[in-house]
Amino acid sequence: MINFTVGPVQSSDEVLAVGAEQVPYFRTAEFSEMMFENERLMKKFTHATDDSKVVFMTCSGSGGMETAIINCLNRHDKALVVNGGSFGERFAELLSLHEIPHDEIKIEHGKALRPEHLKDYEGKGYTAFLIQKHETSTGVHYDMDIVSDFCKRNGCFLIVDTISTFLCDHFNMSELDAGVMITGSQKALACAPGIAVMVLAPSALKRIAENKCCCQYLDLKLALKNMERGQTPWTPAVGILRQINVRLKEIEANGGAEAEVERCAELAEYFREKIMEYNLPLEIASESLSNAVTPLHPTTQSAYEIFLKIKDEYGMWVCPNGGDMKDSIFRVGHIGCLHKDDYDRLVAAFLDLRDKGFI
């Protein structure tokens, strides 16, 4: 099977080899040194300040989203959240669950975030802003400069979910003045799922120190205290942390984060050009694309039926959607260990389906 989804994605042979090894004991100096190296490389690749910190939480990216909210926000905040798809909606649901006062900026599926979306919220006392840099469900890549400028003008603490865009699109945490950046092990890090990585700016560290967390397992005070010695408060997903170490060093050896971004961009451009070249009945369903994924709207067939056909008859996974997007949009990812000839096979499958009258 060739995996064109947006997570889990295909791993390199080096990462897979680590996953095949026995999981070692981790309360050791060697494990601590590896964790410090993971922290150093994450700070480097996100352009975080030297006094920022990194924590590695054993949970999904959604666990990282909730961790950020319960550690950095409280009922005295007034949050603004961009809701343009399934994951923006998840942020809003988490804010409601934890009784954080908030308003939603609702963006139509497939549409870009524009300055006019924010103008009605200027000077209204908002203290926090939550956004997906890339709304994975719809394939819309938001303009973070617009958001950053708004937050700087209005004194908002910025929480950014970069789960599906980290290492796919340019991201400079320091320039954006972001407080929290969240990503996951199974996206462009191309490891097994199970670790949420959070980069925390000094502004986040201050909020964490002053805020009472309502969950022991997700308490960042404990995570930060243990990370001082390169450890975690609880037993982590040791094997995945070892995979992350191999992958981060792999990225560094291949030219760093910018080189990985360019690699994803090249694959995305190659695939999109093929879709246009063969005039396939698949419309790109986003007006603001990330390098991470191409969202496609089939004009002649259910998106989910195409997902099933590609999986069952051609031995490849594309990424389906759920809810009200189940039949209208599927996605093709450009992250993980993929090459141009893999996309040639996928396009050949689309052409075969067209020749058979299925699409």
Side-chain angles (χ1 to χ4, degrees):
M1 296 287 287
I2 303 176
N3 187 350
F4 295 100
T5 70
V6 290
V9 300
Q10 296 192 163
S11 302
S12 66
D13 289 341
E14 291 78 10
V15 170
L16 290 173
V18 173
E21 294 176 359
Q22 291 284 357
V23 177
Y25 183 65
F26 65 101
R27 300 297 192 196
T28 63
E30 291 80 7
F31 184 83
S32 293
E33 286 304 311
M34 182 197 76
M35 291 291 283
F36 288 137
E37 186 172 41
N38 286 351
E39 179 176 50
R40 176 183 67 81
L41 290 171
M42 281 299 304
K43 287 168 66 172
K44 178 180 179 180
F45 294 161
T46 57
H47 302 281
T49 59
D50 290 341
D51 51 355
S52 297
K53 301 294 183 182
V54 182
V55 292
F56 300 84
M57 310 296 288
T58 297
C59 59
S60 68
S62 295
M65 293 163 64
E66 186 160 17
T67 299
I69 287 171
I70 64 178
N71 282 271
C72 297
L73 304 181
N74 58 51
R75 296 178 188 180
H76 299 293
D77 279 296
K78 183 181 178 183
L80 195 56
V81 59
V82 173
N83 180 353
S86 302
F87 295 97
E89 183 177 10
R90 187 166 301 170
F91 256 151
E93 289 171 348
L94 286 166
L95 290 168
S96 294
L97 175 65
H98 295 289
E99 299 181 351
I100 311 295
H102 67 281
D103 290 312
E104 298 177 42
I105 302 172
K106 293 195 175 181
I107 309 292
E108 183 181 345
H109 292 172
K111 299 299 183 182
L113 178 70
R114 304 191 186 282
E116 50 265 33
H117 288 120
L118 302 179
K119 65 180 182 179
D120 291 340
Y121 302 95
E122 293 279 357
K124 297 294 179 63
Y126 291 99
T127 61
F129 196 112
L130 295 86
I131 188 171
Q132 277 69 37
K133 186 172 186 286
H134 174 228
E135 175 51 69
T136 320
S137 65
T138 63
V140 175
H141 186 228
Y142 294 132
D143 187 334
M144 287 304 302
D145 290 332
I146 295 173
V147 173
S148 177
D149 290 346
F150 176 90
C151 290
K152 290 172 183 176
R153 287 193 307 271
N154 290 274
C156 292
F157 177 74
L158 177 58
I159 297 174
V160 188
D161 162 3
T162 70
I163 292 170
S164 65
T165 183
F166 175 56
L167 298 173
C168 306
D169 303 288
H170 297 291
F171 180 76
N172 189 310
M173 191 168 178
S174 298
E175 287 184 359
L176 294 173
D177 197 24
V180 179
M181 172 270 197
I182 310 161
T183 193
S185 56
Q186 80 278 20
K187 303 295 186 180
L189 278 172
C191 299
I195 293 289
V197 187
M198 303 177 68
V199 184
L200 307 168
S203 58
L205 300 176
K206 183 176 185 296
R207 277 180 167 262
I208 292 163
E210 296 173 351
N211 202 45
K212 181 180 179 181
C213 179
C214 60
C215 175
Q216 186 185 52
Y217 186 75
L218 300 179
D219 191 338
L220 288 180
K221 291 186 188 69
L222 295 175
L224 288 163
K225 181 64 177 177
N226 279 267
M227 193 59 195
E228 290 176 5
R229 60 190 181 97
Q231 290 288 333
T232 58
W234 326 110
T235 301
V238 175
I240 302 171
L241 290 167
R242 295 179 70 229
Q243 287 185 324
I244 288 173
N245 183 251
V246 168
R247 174 65 172 143
L248 290 173
K249 291 190 290 188
E250 181 180 85
I251 292 166
E252 185 175 45
N254 290 333
E258 299 309 309
E260 184 66 15
V261 168
E262 292 308 313
R263 189 188 72 83
C264 290
E266 185 177 349
L267 290 177
E269 182 179 9
Y270 182 80
F271 174 69
R272 292 163 188 168
E273 287 179 350
K274 290 291 183 182
I275 294 294
M276 301 296 292
E277 177 184 346
Y278 291 106
N279 196 30
L280 286 163
L282 301 169
E283 297 177 350
I284 293 177
S286 168
E287 63 181 24
S288 179
L289 289 166
S290 163
N291 297 321
V293 64
T294 301
L296 293 170
H297 168 61
T299 58
T300 60
Q301 180 59 268
S302 159
Y304 192 75
E305 291 302 318
I306 292 174
F307 156 72
L308 291 175
K309 280 282 187 181
I310 294 295
K311 174 176 70 73
D312 296 338
E313 297 184 16
Y314 298 90
M316 291 176 278
W317 286 300
V318 294
C319 198
N321 253 317
D324 59 0
M325 289 183 280
K326 177 180 177 180
D327 292 316
S328 60
I329 295 175
F330 71 91
R331 297 157 292 162
V332 175
H334 312 299
I335 55 181
C337 191
L338 291 167
H339 305 89
K340 290 181 179 178
D341 57 352
D342 295 318
Y343 290 94
D344 291 339
R345 287 184 59 181
L346 180 58
V347 171
F350 288 145
L351 290 170
D352 190 46
L353 287 175
R354 187 181 68 179
D355 293 343
K356 291 177 179 177
F358 185 77
I359 62 172

